[in-house]
Amino acid sequence: MIDDVVEHQIRRHIEFPGIGDHPDLGITQTIARSESSGLTELLQHPSITGKTKNWTTTYKKYPTSSFYDGANYNTGTTEARVGYESTIGGLSRSFFRLAWTSSIKGATVTEADLRLYETYSWSCSAREMRVWRTGGISSSTTWNNQPSWTKEIGRKSFANGWSSSCPDAYVVYDGKSVAQDAADGGWTNFTIGLRASTEDSSYSWKKFKAEGESAPKIVITYNRKPAEPTKLDIPPGTCWSLAAIPLMTGTPDVKATATWGGSATTVIGGGWENKMALG
């Protein structure tokens, strides 16, 4: 279905050759679309994916140690840790920098799914974890040097990865708010932080895939307000005159070129219905 904003723009600007809106004759013009028409689908609500570019886990037990991109954790790791692990008495929080290449500045975000792949939980008993937007991370990020916890994105209870009763699985948070912040600010990356809501319980212990295709990502679906349409035209049909005013009969085509997101698309309304009422 063509975007309502584009339809409004075309409806507002199109004029019949030689007529226009003529209040004295009580002429009204309505360009209505037909669901069965072959009208070009213009706005597809595209999406972009912000993928993990860098990540780190911080450990309270090792307050000055950096585990940036999994380094220094034994021989290295590809899993991020969150919560309290009672075996070693370690409390952890993890951070991910998500980035994309194309700016969505000025766009309206219609949906954004923040996807995390959990590979381990302490049991199949769900426990709550919170996701925040944070400040940036680097190889200097440690427990004693954590980024700012700027804005909470959401909280959710879940447990995956303990056994076949609750196997590894994706967990999805609503990231629409932070994605809109990115669009408003013209960002092409931001950092998220994961922390357990109850940091003194071993049941809060979780692991997440931190590298590869299953690493955290945000899928952002967005839209942009199109520019006013140009090249508005109604290909000629049969005309006749009433008091020297040319009128068009039949069912003409309507076409216009709408520019959206830097791309121009010609909308051809072969199935559009033109209704004229003479008062």
Side-chain angles (χ1 to χ4, degrees), residues 17-59:
I19 300 179
D21 291 317
H22 202 302
D24 295 337
L25 291 179
I27 297 177
T28 62
Q29 301 172 31
T30 302
I31 303 175
R33 66 174 183 267
S34 168
E35 294 298 331
S36 61
S37 74
L39 190 62
T40 302
E41 186 174 278
L42 179 62
L43 297 186
Q44 309 251 343
H45 293 266
S47 65
I48 60 170
T49 299
K51 298 183 178 181
T52 295
K53 297 301 181 182
N54 301 101
W55 69 280
T56 192
T57 291
T58 61
Y59 267 104

Side-chain angles (χ1 to χ4, degrees), residues 97-276:
R97 184 173 71 87
L98 308 180
W100 53 95
T101 56
S102 300
S103 173
I104 56 172
K105 183 175 177 60
T108 297
V109 175
T110 57
E111 184 179 11
D113 289 342
L114 180 58
R115 302 176 182 177
L116 314 171
Y117 192 74
E118 187 180 21
T119 59
Y120 183 82
S121 61
W122 189 257
S123 72
C124 286
S125 178
R127 289 296 187 271
E128 185 178 85
M129 189 188 76
R130 304 182 187 188
V131 177
W132 290 65
R133 178 169 67 83
T134 71
I137 57 173
S138 70
S139 58
S140 298
T141 301
T142 64
W143 182 269
N144 284 354
N145 186 34
Q146 296 180 46
S148 59
W149 294 82
T150 307
K151 178 181 179 181
E152 185 174 335
I153 296 172
R155 57 184 69 183
K156 182 173 290 191
S157 295
F158 54 91
N160 305 291
W162 168 249
S163 69
S164 59
S165 297
C166 54
D168 300 2
Y170 277 103
V171 180
V172 180
Y173 284 74
D174 183 356
K176 183 177 178 180
S177 176
V178 67
Q180 189 62 61
D181 288 343
D184 294 344
W187 312 337
T188 54
N189 71 88
F190 59 79
T191 303
I192 59 170
L194 281 53
R195 58 192 295 179
S197 293
T198 305
E199 293 192 318
D200 58 357
S201 170
S202 61
Y203 284 92
S204 69
W205 179 242
K206 299 176 182 295
K207 294 182 184 179
F208 296 89
K209 196 70 175 175
E211 297 181 3
E213 285 302 311
S214 298
K217 62 176 67 72
I218 186 166
V219 181
I220 303 172
T221 304
Y222 64 97
N223 201 356
R224 295 184 187 275
K225 182 180 179 181
E228 292 187 355
T230 60
K231 301 178 182 178
L232 307 178
D233 186 29
I234 299 179
T238 304
C239 294
W240 56 280
S241 297
L242 174 64
I245 300 176
L247 299 177
M248 182 179 293
T249 62
T251 304
D253 284 340
V254 178
K255 70 177 182 178
T257 298
T259 302
W260 168 78
S263 300
T265 301
T266 300
V267 182
I268 302 174
W272 287 44
E273 180 182 322
N274 174 44
K275 300 178 181 178
M276 300 180 60

